């Protein structure tokens, strides 16, 4: 495998440079005096930012972009092997690394590489960890899979031993990482277009955990079913967290304010310590914050800085993000939830937010996920007062006719729910403007572009 030498910056080309993760890595290399170029299918605020930092950006991916002076090509799983740039780079024998392989090599430059993994909650927990590290004046480098206001984007290049990043299990990309500290928030059935089922997913997380050095740290949710299988034969330090009191880090006396923000008493080895107040909604974020506190204690960070960082963190964009209130008094929230477990957590958070009726506009994300978890999606959504279903967001897939949002509508209604498949965004918007009333809570939900509906309604 090609090794990046940060003492001898070279010319690096990113295929898909406008992606949220790829752009972050490109910015890190730009700050380290590498010559960076890359391509994407369209211009965006991200590509504009990279241009301003000195990157050369091509719109459109064609063979001519791959010039002979390029030393390294970086690509993502979204790039197909028949892509013109990919084919040309192979023909020219230019060294190539995946996005994850490059990130793993970047992590080697930091003493405290922190990788935050789990089927759900990675971005929010990375946000929490980022706020804490910033409050503790550690000057961290941060790479996050969302836009974080406190750093003005998805990347921050620091000048210290601290590096924090999300670690995604899809295609086992996190197996290329080199963390000193890892968090495993949860392990659930997902990405079934790649994994065969839960057993393979658990084994993937186990492999990820065993990357850690013996003096490193695994912080793992002690409440989850597969914890023992993951930690078996693990030689590094292990800390458990969760709501059950037998975890090393747990919580008691949990209450919520009028906006659904939790406050709790921290328990460490069963003993009451601090009162922690969060600015993120939902009891699931109590659990997420426990993992951050465990890491902070291992790093011997000041507890007051930890408390302040957690209280300041409002999460990244699209994580129970309050977008505004319409002229007729409808509260509009947007959330990235696209898995049944995430949907349940989001709807539970909504119960702690004052409202009249709850409306959920859900855009299923990928056909394989919707098909495999159809019953679970229906169960998660059935408790909502009103469910409006958009058409499935295909992402990287093609519609083979195996499942549709109409199937989900039928399943929800069979369980006694109130679901309606409307499909296109304009029709959904018109329906909501006619039917949502003052003090109703409207959540647009999904990993696609469903947030556009809420944005449009707020402009009316």
């Amino acid at each position: 495998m090609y090794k990046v030498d940060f003492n001898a910056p070279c010319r690096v080309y990113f295929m898909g440079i406008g992606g949220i993760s790829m752009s972050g890595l490109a910015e890190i290399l730009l700050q380290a005096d590498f010559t960076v170029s890359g391509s994407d299918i369209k211009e965006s605020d991200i590509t504009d930012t990279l241009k301003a930092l000195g990157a050369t950006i091509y719109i459109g991916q064609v063979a001519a972009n791959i010039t002979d002076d390029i030393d390294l090509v970086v690509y993502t799983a979204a790039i197909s092997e028949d892509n013109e740039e990919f084919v040309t780079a192979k023909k020219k024998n230019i060294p190539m690394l995946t996005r994850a392989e490059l990130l793993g090599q970047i992590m080697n430059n930091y003493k405290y590489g922190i990788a935050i993994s789990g089927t759900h909650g990675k971005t929010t927990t990375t946000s929490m960890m980022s706020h804490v590290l910033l409050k503790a004046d550690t000057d961290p480098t941060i790479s996050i899979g969302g836009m974080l206001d406190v750093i003005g984007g998805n990347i921050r290049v620091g000048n210290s031993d601290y590096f924090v990043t999300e670690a995604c299990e899809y295609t086992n990309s996190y197996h290329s990482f080199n963390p000193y500290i890892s968090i495993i928030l949860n392990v659930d059935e997902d990405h079934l277009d790649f994994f065969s089922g839960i057993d393979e997913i658990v084994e993937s997380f186990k492999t990820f955990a065993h990357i850690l050095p013996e003096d490193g740290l695994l912080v793992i949710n002690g409440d989850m079913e597969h914890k023992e299988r993951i930690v078996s034969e693990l030689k590094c330090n292990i800390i458990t967290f969760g709501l059950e009191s037998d975890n090393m880090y747990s919580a008691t006396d949990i209450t919520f304010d009028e906006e659904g923000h939790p406050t709790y008493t921290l328990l460490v080895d069963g003993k009451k310590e601090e009162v922690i107040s969060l600015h993120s909604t939902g009891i699931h974020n109590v659990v997420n914050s426990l993992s951050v506190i465990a890491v902070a204690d291992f790093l011997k960070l000041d507890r007051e800085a930890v408390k302040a960082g957690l209280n300041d963190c409002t999460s990244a964009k699209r994580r129970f993000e309050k977008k505004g209130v319409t002229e007729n008094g409808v509260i509009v929230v947007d959330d990235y939830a696209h898995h049944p477990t995430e949907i349940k957590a989001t709807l539970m958070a909504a119960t702690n937010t004052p409202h009249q009726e709850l409306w959920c506009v859900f855009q299923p994300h990928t056909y394989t996920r919707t098909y495999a978890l159809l019953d679970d999606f229906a169960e998660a959504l059935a408790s909502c007062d009103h469910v409006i279903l958009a058409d499935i967001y295909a992402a990287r897939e093609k519609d083979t006719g195996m499942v549709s949002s109409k199937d989900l509508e039928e399943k929800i209604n069979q369980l006694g729910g109130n679901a309606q498949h409307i499909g296109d965004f304009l029709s959904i918007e018109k329906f909501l403007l006619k039917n949502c009333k003052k003090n109703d809570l409207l959540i647009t939900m999904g990993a696609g572009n469903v947030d556009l509906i809420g944005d449009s309604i707020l402009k009316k």
Side-chain angles (χ1 to χ4, degrees), residues 1 88 128 163 224 238 249 263 267 294 326 390 412 414 431:
M1 182 190 299
T88 304
M128 290 180 176
F163 179 90
M224 67 183 189
I238 300 172
Y249 284 75
T263 294
L267 296 175
T326 66
I412 293 170
Q414 286 170 7
F431 181 86

Side-chain angles (χ1 to χ4, degrees), residues 193 365-369 392-399 402:
D193 57 331
H365 189 262
T366 75
Y367 298 101
T368 52
R369 180 184 286 116
I392 295 172
Y393 188 85
R396 54 190 171 267
E397 298 180 347
K398 293 182 179 179
D399 184 4
M402 66 175 164

Side-chain angles (χ1 to χ4, degrees), residues 142-208:
I142 297 165
S143 176
I144 186 169
M147 305 307 283
L148 188 59
D149 286 341
V150 73
I151 62 174
N154 64 309
I155 191 73
R156 180 188 190 273
V157 181
N159 187 27
S160 73
D161 287 332
Y162 294 88
F163 179 90
V164 60
T165 186
E166 292 183 39
C168 183
E169 72 276 11
Y170 185 59
T171 69
N172 290 324
S173 62
Y174 60 171
H175 291 172
S176 297
F177 291 10
N178 295 293
Y180 181 68
I181 298 170
S182 292
I183 294 174
I184 298 179
L185 297 166
N186 39 62
V187 176
D188 215 337
E189 201 169 30
D190 199 8
H191 296 304
L192 297 175
D193 57 331
F194 177 76
F195 294 111
S196 61
I198 189 63
D199 284 342
E200 189 175 4
I201 295 169
V202 173
E203 284 302 310
S204 175
F205 276 95
K206 182 175 182 177
T207 299
F208 171 66

Side-chain angles (χ1 to χ4, degrees), residues 71-86:
D71 298 305
L72 171 67
V73 169
V74 182
Y75 65 99
T76 70
I79 301 297
S80 62
E81 291 190 2
D82 61 355
N83 178 286
E84 280 190 44
E85 292 183 341
F86 189 94

Side-chain angles (χ1 to χ4, degrees), residues 2-19:
Y2 182 90
K3 297 295 182 183
V4 177
D5 185 353
F6 283 80
N7 294 314
C10 62
R11 296 178 178 273
V12 183
Y13 187 91
F14 287 84
M15 298 171 61
I17 197 168

